[in-house]
Amino acid sequence: PLSFAASETFSRKNINCTIDESIARFRDVVVAAKDRGFPVRGYVSCVLGCPYQGEVTTESVARLSEKLIEMGCREISLGDTIGVGTPDKTIQMIHDVERVVDKNMLAVHFHDTYGQALANIYAAVKEGISVVDSSVAGLGGCPYAAGASGNVATEDVVYMLNGMNVETRIDMDKLVDAGTYICNVLNQPRRSKAGIALVAAGIKRCHEDNKRID
């Protein structure tokens, strides 16, 4: 994926160039990738707020998204980098972007800094978005956005989607195991509420099964 920002200030801080300069720099990369048959994904950060300039207009998000599609990106991931978005703002942003970009070419990417990620994803899914970025165990963050937590936990997203009868084809048990593994490797706490609950439930079941065996 190629990373862009809907905020001029964040673009300078993150990749050391303006938005227009970033488009010019990456244009040859997109062309080379397409010539070799590789699809290109464009990631637009700060779609609902910037840690430096504050509010980011939905018009600027839509304008940049349109340019990336024209440049040859197959999909655009709309990222709430600092997690300040709320459902109503998410819906308005999607409405403005889909005026210039086909909804089937859009994805969403929410950090959970203010605990709004799942609510925003729910709103986006209800608006017809079918691609959601997430992070196992909720790991991650952004070095250029002070206080930004990791991306929304995959376990939490899958648990919610299962409850909505949305088919994900993801094995929850294996997903939770993956979260346990990577948290142990990185010596990081699990940040997925669903993951924590499911692990606890699994331990409880094991204890109960052992008692029955005894």
Side-chain angles (χ1 to χ4, degrees), residues 14-201:
N14 193 35
I15 56 177
N16 198 33
C17 63
T18 67
I19 294 173
D20 286 342
E21 286 171 344
S22 69
I23 293 172
R25 289 181 181 182
F26 286 129
R27 194 179 303 278
D28 289 342
V29 176
V30 174
V31 171
K34 291 184 68 176
D35 286 346
R36 290 163 176 77
F38 297 119
V40 178
R41 190 182 206 232
Y43 173 72
V44 180
S45 60
C46 298
V47 298
L48 292 169
C50 170
Y52 304 105
Q53 70 181 52
E55 185 177 348
V56 174
T57 66
T58 56
E59 290 81 4
S60 64
V61 177
R63 186 165 55 250
L64 176 56
S65 299
E66 183 178 28
K67 288 181 179 180
L68 298 186
I69 291 296
E70 292 173 349
M71 189 169 68
C73 290
R74 183 194 65 177
E75 184 176 78
I76 305 298
S77 180
L78 303 169
D80 182 13
T81 309
I82 56 175
V84 294
T86 54
D88 284 351
K89 290 182 178 180
T90 296
I91 291 170
Q92 184 60 57
M93 184 265 295
I94 291 173
H95 285 177
D96 287 348
V97 174
E98 69 180 0
R99 291 193 181 101
V100 293
V101 176
D102 190 301
K103 188 182 297 183
N104 293 323
M105 302 178 78
L106 297 177
V108 289
H109 179 117
F110 290 103
H111 288 247
D112 202 31
T113 313
Y114 290 85
Q116 299 297 298
L118 275 183
N120 292 337
I121 291 169
Y122 179 87
V125 170
K126 285 296 187 179
E127 289 298 313
I129 302 299
S130 60
V131 179
V132 177
D133 297 345
S134 61
S135 170
V136 171
L139 299 176
C142 178
Y144 298 101
S149 65
N151 197 355
V152 64
T154 307
E155 299 94 317
D156 295 354
V157 175
V158 172
Y159 185 87
M160 181 185 74
L161 293 177
N162 286 344
M164 296 170 65
N165 294 316
V166 175
E167 184 179 359
T168 64
R169 299 182 183 180
I170 295 175
D171 185 313
M172 181 61 89
D173 289 337
K174 291 181 179 178
L175 177 59
V176 171
D177 288 344
T180 300
Y181 170 78
I182 192 60
C183 285
N184 287 337
V185 169
L186 298 177
N187 194 29
Q188 291 289 319
R190 189 193 305 268
R191 297 184 178 92
S192 163
K193 291 183 178 179
I196 291 170
L198 289 168
V199 167

